[in-house]
Every structure is written in C-alpha cells, then in structure tokens.
Amino acid sequence: MQGNIASAEGALAAGCTFFGGYPITPSTEVAEHMATRMPKIKGACFIQMEDEIASIAAVIGAAWTGARSMTATSGPGFSLMMENIGYAVMTETPCVIVNIQRGGPSTGQPTMAAQGDIMQVKFGSHGDYSIIALAPSSVQECFDLTAKAFNLADRFRTPVFLMADEVIGHMREKIEIPDSVEIVRPKPLPEGALPFAPGPDGVSGFAAFGTGRHIPVTGLTHDERGYPDTTNPARHESLVRRLVSKIEDARHDIADYSIVNEEAEYVFVCYGAPVRTVREVVERLRLPDTGYLQLRTVWPFPEGLLSRFPKVKAFIVPEMNLGMMAREIERHVSVPVIPVSKIGGDLHTPEELVEAVKAAGGLL
Amino acid sequence: MRHEIRFSGFGGQGIILSAVILGRAAALYDQKYAVQTQVYGPEARGGASMSAVIIDDEPILFPKVRDPDTYVIMSQQGFEKYGKSPRDDAVMLLDSDLVHDRPSCTWVGIPATLSAKKDLGREIVANIIMLGALTTATTVVSGPALEKAILDSVPKGTEDLNLKAMRRGQELGIEGGSS
Amino acid sequence: MRDDWLREDRLPHIYCAGCGNGTIMNCVLEAVEKTGWDQKKTIFISGIGCSSRAPGYILTDSLHTTHGRAIAFATGVKMANPSLHVVVFTGDGDLAAIGGNHFIHACRRNIDITVVCMNNHIYGMTGGQGSPTTPIGKTSTTTPYGADEAPFDLAELAMAAGANYVARWTSFHVKQLTDSVLTGLNTPGFSLIEVRCQCPTSYGRRNKYREPVDYMTYLKSHAVLKEKWERSAAPGTELPVDSFLVGEFVRRQRPVMGVPDEA
C-alpha cells in the first residue's frame, strides 16, 4: 500500500467522516482515496473545495458539528491554509491536516521530497501559538500516526499535522491494518460550563453545534463565554498563554519516539524519510558508536529526550532542508549539533551519513 | 537474498505500475519484504520515467534503489538516463526494439512492444510481457506470485489479456537472445 | 427585538447610530422565527467586517470566521450535518472581494444555505475604503477622486453562478426583505438576499448622505421594483442613473447539496 493511501485509511479507521480538499501533487492520492471510500460510508462526506483556503475552512466548520475532519495538501496549498490554521488554533478546533512535503519555496519541485515546511507548521500563521506535528517514516506509520492525530486533536482541541514527505507518501510497503484503532474523543463540555473555560489540563470540554449549547466561536481574542474582548491585554495574554501551554506542558506526554543505543557517542536525531537512512547506518551497517533518536512527534519538541544519551559527543541531524530542526536541537544541548542538510529531492544515502559521522569524529 | 530492480521507460508504458505489481507479488505472495518507489516528472505521457523495487528477506530500511542487480528498460531514453552504468553482475531486460544500445552486463532482449502489438493486439500490455520475462530470466519473483499480483492490479475485463501477456513474456524470457 | 434569540449580555452592540445592519438583523431574525426552526439547530456564520459581527449578538451556535471565508466554513458545517440550518451574514467586501471565489462556487454547488449580504458599498470596519460594489464616481478613502472601477452586481452574479434563490432589497424595504429572507430560508439550495443599506459613518459622510435618513431617502427613491420595470419599460431601456432593481430575481429548483437524505 502507498503511504498516502495508508494515511487516508488511518483516518477512516479513526472515524474520520469529513474530508475537504483540493488536488495538489504529491498529496492528491489522499483525496482520491477519500473520494472513493467516503461516499460508501454512512454519514461521511467528501468534498472537493475550490482551493485550499476553502478546504481548511470547511474542515473547521465540519469539526464544529462533531465530525472528525481532515484535509491533505502540500507546500503551496499548505501556505494558503495558514490563516485558517491560526483560526483553528484560536478557536480550539480539533482537526487533522496532512502535508505531503515537496521541494519549495514556491511551486518548487512538485514531485520531489522535502522537509522544508517543518518550521512553517509551527510558525506559519501569525501570532504566538503551538500545535502538534507528527512525522511518519514508513507506510505503516502513515496509517498509525494519522489515526493517532485525530485522538491528539480531540484531546488537546487543536489542529494536528501529519508532516509526511513525497518519499514516504508515494512509497509502497506492506502494512498491517488492525481490526480497530484506539479512539479518544474530546472530553464533553460539562453542563453549565462556559464553552472556553479550561479544565486542569488547560483544555476546555467540547460540545458540537446543534446540541443546544449556543457556542459563539470567534477568532477574536475572547473570554470563557466566547465573547470578543480584544483590547484587554490581560485577557489576550492569558488566552494565548493557555493555548500554548496546554500543548507545551504536555510535550513529554505527547512525545512519540524511538531510541536506539543510548550509549552512543554520535547520535542521529531524525524524523520522516531520513529515519530510513539513519536506521540503515545504525542497525544494518552497525556503524560503531552510533545511535539515534527518531521523533514521530516533532512538535511540541520533546527536548528532554536529548538528555537520554549520556556519552553523546555530537548530535547529527539529517534533514531534507537546510537545517531547520538542527537549530531547535542546538537550543537545548551543549554538545555540537551537526546538520546534514540535503535538498533537491533525493534522500540521504547511507554513505553520506557514514561520512557525516566520520567528519564529526575528525572535528572533535 | 536482496534484489534491487529498476524499471525505466517513457510515461504511459506502465513503468510505475510494473513496479507496483512486482512489489505486490513479492510482499503479498512470495512472503518477502518489498518497498516500491519512483521518480516522475510532470508528464503523464512521454518523458523518461523510473520506478524501483527492493525485495528482501529482511525488513527494508533505506528504501531507495541505488545499485540495481536487475533492470527492466523499455526505452532508449530510459536506458541512457537510468541504465547506462550497471554493475558487472547485473541482469538487464531490454525491450529489444525500443532500446538500441546494449549494456556491459548480462542482458536479455525481449521484443515486448512488438509482441504485444503483433501477438496480443494491444501495445499497452508490453510492460506485463516484461514482467512475465522477469520470472523466467531472473529469480526476483515467482510466476504464481506475479500472476496473483497482476490479477489484483489490472482493470476488470482485461485479466485474460494480461495473463496471456505474462505467459508470452515467460516464453520470451527463456528464448531471449542474451549476451 | 426578538429577545429569545438575542444575547442581551453582549449589548450594547458595535454598530454606529443610524447603521442599517441592525434593521437587517431584525428582519432576518423575524424570518427565522417564522420558519419555526429549532434555535438549537440554527447556526449563524460570518466572515469579517461590520456585517459579520451580527452572529455574535444572536443566541445560537455561531462561527465568526476569517475574512471572506464564511461561506467555505458554512459549507463544511452544512455538508457534515445537513440537519442544521445555516445562515451566513456577510458584507460586500467580505462576499465579493476576498470571498468572491467561495461565493460563486457555493452558488454553483447550490449548497443549502442562506446568505444575507449587507451591501453598504464600503469597508466600514476599517474606516471607509472602496469595495467591489462602490459605484463609479463615489468617494472612499481609497477612491479619493471617485471610484473608477465597475462594480459587481451581486444578485446577477449569484444568478449566473447557479443559486436557487436570489433577491435584492434595501434596509428601507423591511417587510419585503423579511418575506424574501423567509423564502430564501425555505428554498432548498443556495439563497442570496442582497440588502443595500446605509453606512452614514463611512459611506454617507463622504458621499453627501451624512444623515442616515438621507441615504434611506435615496434607497427609497432609486429602488425600482424589478417586476414593475420589466412590465412597463420597453425592452433594452436602461435604468435611470443611480437607480437599481429590487425584488425577487430568481426562484428555481436546480439540484442542491447539503440537504438531509430522504430517509
């Protein structure tokens, strides 16, 4: 099965009943598969919108009816979605956005892989905010992480992103589809509670439209009733700080990762397609003194995991961009962080990573 | 045993589908691990397209084919772009009428497009002929597995035509004039 | 006012004295009440601008969204749960400029929502900039020498794009407006009710309609009943300068989206 199809199937397994999308390479198979499958599922709706702005808008609208909602896109479409992604953050709307990353900027390389949107996903909309982003490195993970994304979206009432790339999205591998997946729906809005009053975890209960709670949803800075209150600095600060902290405070709880060889001196930190090359080097070629941390949750960044390698001399970060996450990692550690940046669409080769380790050894 | 198979030709020949079918045969019916990838441009038809499959007894980590032991080449441009420097012990299946050059490694000429037109009346099944030839000229995939994967993948109503193409390929794979 | 449908704890509202939006809101709520719709199942959706603040004052579930995108959000709500009744409040800038594409595609799909456009020919909230419906020659902060671009006719646009119900009135025509909104609400498919209305603060002040009553007088005297015009004017006759047609432009039964399955 192809990664894109696995992502669509993962969504359906998780009970996704609304997909709004617009065709864009290399994500289109997600929409095509949903267009084939959803009309045969009772209560499910697939709609091809007029552009990506409309797609994410429709997804957010559908989410407020209580539907598990999703869209899929790639670079240019992702850029178009940014304003409404901020709206989803501000209104605490659970939804899932799949981004099959391609080479940018602009139209760039439609058919080639990249990881150049990994900062945009966190910072692309205006204002301060936090989101959750997952990164699959196999077709199986496309299925598993898409299903999981819906649970995270509901639990934290936030947009959750599946940041795949063209390599993983278009790769075909055998996967195992479980009979059922875990489904965690949002906690309900208690009777009499204000719609945006946070619980102890900073997350409010959720009530769908049509259930009589009369919820006014606005992208303006608002109080716990949902009423606009845009000129009160304290109101804005407490709201935005809560939107950030409900996710950042849970970052080690949200973290989904693999660690191989905590005793390693040279530790790869990787996510998405480059994980494949890292595993080839560490597990198959057994390059001495190497280990890795694979991040399936990229954001919020679980920086505590970096301290799990007591003997580390350097972190080596292969990315299909010019060193975006490497800079994030650098913030948290005192040993050298060595980016292995590769753009153009080709995945790092095992030899390139072996070279990087050797070069790191020579540097130190 | 690990095999890396690279397919190349022009868009519209079913180069990507060939790799998908081969990967499916190996993963689902030969009980191996398989990963299929591709390189493609904006053209739906024409251009040089490439797809690849890795087949292994163990899980496949690095997913890209870099040093194929098996090639299926269906156009001269595909040969020039993706088939020019095979390793010495590689085996290359060539569409003998569409590829003019011959490689330094072992090769098997299969008149797939000609035979698809002449024997089966449908040029579109040339890629299935090439796949059939793979089962007799190499050991990357078994005949029964390929047959099941073809039946899974081709449009309804074309099963017989495609199975005929596969069998014709199996014959040509044995007969094929090798270097 | 219809107290049951209003959030009294949100008052006072932001609208200027003499603004037409309150009148239009009142007509829409009266029409909604006449439908007998369950308040629980009625959703108001809007974009950005003065008009788009209306849902915030209404006691239902509501989405006050991003600029121009109200109809796209509404499409998601209605398609995901066709049993909900969806009404969109929008303005001329929101609907016809930044949201123009969503507008024509929703008409094309004939999605079962009702859109009420408060057309005051100006961007009121940002302080009086020209919009796609600012008439030629009229002054705004971005057309200080008079607008020189041709304006959109929103009703014609909706008709051409496929909407099932299209009507135009003004904030003066309270009774007719209420009746048309009710018809729109009850007509399956996309309904547009364009309402020409006064903005004394931003439009009137710059265009010699400083007092609200000045523009109301203009609306009353220059609105030509479509039925009457078609009956009396010789074919091909141009409307008098500054006049515009009001009335029901189309009511039809093209295929629709977003209605509950017949079970």
Side-chain angles (χ1 to χ4, degrees):
Chain A
M1 181 181 283
Q2 194 192 55
N4 283 346
I5 308 291
S7 182
E9 282 294 327
L12 294 171
C16 174
T17 54
F18 186 89
F19 186 98
Y22 187 81
I24 183 167
T25 305
S27 77
T28 308
E29 293 85 359
V30 183
E32 288 174 339
H33 194 66
M34 288 304 215
T36 308
R37 292 272 273 123
M38 291 185 103
K40 296 177 181 169
I41 298 169
K42 193 173 158 44
C45 172
F46 167 89
I47 186 165
Q48 180 172 328
M49 296 300 290
E50 52 272 20
D51 58 32
E52 287 89 347
I53 299 172
S55 299
I56 180 70
V59 162
I60 295 168
W64 274 99
T65 71
R68 285 196 145 182
S69 311
M70 178 169 107
T71 187
T73 189
S74 187
F78 198 55
S79 291
L80 283 177
M81 290 184 184
M82 282 299 147
E83 186 193 9
N84 282 340
I85 285 170
Y87 181 84
V89 168
M90 192 60 147
T91 56
E92 301 183 72
T93 307
C95 55
V96 173
I97 296 140
V98 173
N99 179 355
I100 310 298
Q101 294 170 87
R102 63 191 234 184
S106 190
T107 316
Q109 295 177 290
T111 62
M112 303 295 272
Q115 296 182 301
D117 308 349
I118 206 71
M119 285 291 161
Q120 184 187 20
V121 68
K122 182 163 171 56
F123 297 110
S125 197
H126 52 282
D128 284 293
Y129 65 98
S130 276
I131 47 77
I132 298 171
L134 312 175
S137 70
S138 67
V139 175
Q140 184 73 50
E141 285 179 357
C142 286
F143 181 94
D144 296 343
L145 295 182
T146 306
K148 180 177 181 159
F150 284 94
N151 290 345
L152 290 169
D154 276 351
R155 181 174 155 204
F156 291 96
R157 285 193 53 182
T158 184
V160 176
F161 299 83
L162 187 84
M163 299 298 284
D165 53 68
E166 191 275 338
V167 171
I168 302 301
H170 277 165
M171 190 163 82
R172 286 181 178 84
E173 289 181 301
K174 184 156 75 175
I175 72 163
E176 286 184 19
I177 294 185
D179 293 335
S180 67
V181 300
E182 187 192 17
I183 292 181
V184 185
R185 292 307 321 255
K187 60 182 179 193
L189 180 62
E191 206 54 51
L194 295 175
F196 297 95
D201 56 357
V203 184
S204 328
F206 182 83
F209 279 8
T211 57
R213 301 303 291 272
H214 300 328
I215 300 174
V217 179
T218 179
L220 291 169
T221 297
H222 49 272
D223 63 19
E224 294 183 349
R225 297 171 298 181
Y227 290 5
D229 182 8
T230 59
T231 53
N232 175 350
R235 173 81 63 205
H236 184 76
E237 177 163 6
S238 71
L239 172 61
V240 174
R241 282 191 185 277
R242 177 175 70 75
L243 295 180
V244 170
S245 66
K246 73 176 178 181
I247 289 166
E248 295 298 329
D249 291 354
R251 63 192 181 282
H252 289 108
D253 180 29
I254 297 171
D256 185 341
Y257 60 94
S258 296
I259 286 179
V260 168
N261 193 11
E262 292 190 1
E263 300 302 305
E265 295 179 354
Y266 300 99
V267 176
F268 292 103
V269 183
C270 52
Y271 57 96
V275 170
R276 306 293 291 237
T277 319
V278 167
R279 291 188 62 193
E280 183 84 22
V281 169
V282 176
E283 296 177 33
R284 175 105 357 114
L285 303 178
R286 295 184 186 281
L287 189 67
D289 306 320
T290 59
Y292 70 82
L293 165 62
Q294 175 195 354
L295 296 173
R296 279 181 286 270
T297 310
V298 179
W299 303 113
F301 185 73
E303 86 289 343
L305 297 174
L306 298 170
S307 59
R308 295 270 296 272
F309 301 90
K311 296 182 181 164
V312 64
K313 288 182 178 165
F315 287 103
I316 300 173
V317 189
E319 296 181 83
M320 300 175 80
N321 58 45
L322 294 181
M324 292 185 175
M325 288 306 286
R327 291 176 68 180
E328 173 69 18
I329 295 160
E330 210 160 28
R331 264 170 16 96
H332 301 291
V333 299
S334 51
V335 298
V337 174
I338 301 166
V340 188
S341 303
K342 189 163 184 179
I343 59 173
D346 282 338
L347 186 54
H348 302 74
T349 64
E351 292 74 21
E352 286 167 344
L353 296 193
V354 170
E355 268 317 301
V357 172
K358 281 187 189 156
L363 283 177
L364 300 170
Chain B
M1 184 66 188
R2 182 180 172 100
H3 285 292
E4 296 193 357
I5 303 99
R6 177 180 286 170
F7 293 81
S8 182
F10 52 80
Q13 280 181 316
I15 294 300
I16 290 176
L17 181 63
S18 299
V20 173
I21 292 173
L22 177 60
R24 189 176 183 93
L28 297 186
Y29 302 119
D30 276 342
Q31 310 305 330
K32 305 248 178 106
Y33 291 94
V35 173
Q36 182 267 327
T37 57
Q38 65 255 312
V39 170
Y40 68 110
E43 314 89 344
R45 300 288 181 266
S49 79
M50 189 275 271
S51 63
V53 181
I54 301 174
I55 299 171
D56 204 337
D57 300 320
E58 292 173 55
I60 295 152
L61 300 175
F62 183 71
K64 294 280 188 179
V65 164
R66 288 176 308 138
D67 191 17
D69 54 79
T70 308
Y71 288 82
V72 178
I73 307 281
M74 295 184 66
S75 75
Q76 177 63 22
Q77 201 189 348
F79 176 85
E80 285 166 13
K81 200 160 174 193
Y82 297 108
K84 259 198 150 149
S85 43
R87 65 195 221 203
D88 292 343
D89 60 349
V91 178
M92 188 177 293
L93 273 59
L94 302 160
D95 189 314
S96 43
D97 299 305
L98 300 185
V99 182
H100 312 306
D101 293 349
R102 294 295 178 260
S104 50
C105 67
T106 305
W107 57 272
V108 186
I110 310 287
T113 303
L114 184 71
S115 169
K117 247 191 289 195
K118 211 177 62 185
D119 303 337
L120 301 163
R122 295 294 304 278
E123 197 174 326
I124 197 155
V125 293
N127 63 332
I128 304 295
I129 294 181
M130 293 301 274
L131 278 175
L134 263 186
T135 66
T136 50
T138 75
T139 58
V140 302
V141 65
S142 74
L146 181 67
E147 179 170 336
K148 287 181 197 148
I150 288 174
L151 290 175
D152 287 346
S153 309
V154 299
K156 278 211 165 52
T158 67
E159 292 92 342
D160 283 350
L161 173 68
N162 280 288
L163 288 185
K164 269 186 209 154
M166 184 192 87
R167 302 226 165 84
R168 183 74 192 112
Q170 288 173 323
E171 294 162 16
L172 291 169
I174 297 167
E175 297 164 10
S178 181
S179 67
Chain C
M1 288 294 255
R2 354 213 85 66
D3 298 349
D4 296 352
W5 288 73
L6 285 178
R7 290 185 193 272
E8 289 183 18
D9 56 349
R10 278 283 329 264
L11 300 176
H13 54 69
I14 63 159
Y15 297 138
C16 305
C19 173
N21 290 358
T23 311
I24 298 167
M25 243 180 97
N26 199 30
C27 294
V28 171
L29 285 182
E30 190 175 329
V32 168
E33 277 206 322
K34 283 184 180 165
T35 60
W37 286 354
D38 185 347
Q39 200 166 346
K40 267 195 329 206
K41 300 287 179 190
T42 306
I43 318 292
F44 288 91
I45 299 180
S46 63
I48 295 293
C50 294
S51 61
S52 294
R53 291 301 184 100
Y57 303 115
I58 301 174
L59 187 60
T60 63
D61 292 319
S62 62
L63 279 176
H64 173 229
T65 71
T66 49
H67 196 18
R69 318 301 172 197
I71 289 175
F73 281 87
T75 300
V77 170
K78 189 65 178 161
M79 291 304 293
N81 185 352
S83 74
L84 298 175
H85 308 291
V86 178
V87 181
V88 171
F89 281 112
T90 183
D92 42 304
D94 197 52
L95 181 75
I98 189 167
N101 201 32
H102 309 306
F103 173 38
I104 57 175
H105 282 278
C107 292
R108 172 181 65 81
R109 292 188 184 104
N110 222 348
I111 182 139
D112 185 27
I113 61 177
T114 299
V115 174
V116 178
C117 178
M118 302 169 176
N119 180 4
N120 57 13
H121 315 282
I122 202 101
Y123 286 81
M125 185 159 272
T126 47
Q129 296 75 33
S131 90
T133 64
T134 305
I136 288 193
K138 296 299 179 188
T139 310
S140 73
T141 60
T142 52
T143 57
Y145 311 108
D148 57 2
E149 295 180 10
F152 263 141
D153 182 320
L154 301 179
E156 297 278 357
L157 192 55
M159 267 203 306
N164 257 358
Y165 183 77
V166 178
R168 173 156 64 213
W169 294 104
T170 78
S171 50
F172 172 80
H173 298 89
V174 174
K175 167 90 177 46
Q176 299 92 324
L177 171 59
T178 306
D179 290 348
S180 264
V181 173
L182 180 60
T183 309
L185 297 172
N186 285 328
T187 304
F190 191 97
S191 301
L192 172 75
I193 293 92
E194 179 195 346
V195 196
R196 301 263 171 115
C197 61
Q198 73 276 22
C199 171
T201 306
S202 286
Y203 185 79
R205 191 155 49 96
R206 294 187 181 85
N207 292 290
K208 299 182 183 142
Y209 302 111
R210 190 173 285 271
E211 294 303 319
V213 68
D214 298 342
Y215 201 67
M216 294 289 276
T217 309
Y218 158 77
L219 290 173
K220 183 185 170 192
S221 57
H222 288 75
V224 178
L225 204 58
K226 183 171 180 285
E227 259 184 13
K228 206 168 148 189
W229 176 257
E230 283 168 359
R231 228 179 15 238
S232 58
T237 317
E238 296 263 328
L239 274 173
V241 177
D242 286 345
S243 291
F244 57 94
L245 295 180
V246 294
E248 200 171 87
F249 282 61
V250 73
R251 191 196 302 205
R252 58 193 171 194
Q253 305 280 323
R254 291 190 174 178
V256 302
M257 287 176 69
V259 294
D261 291 335
E262 314 245 338

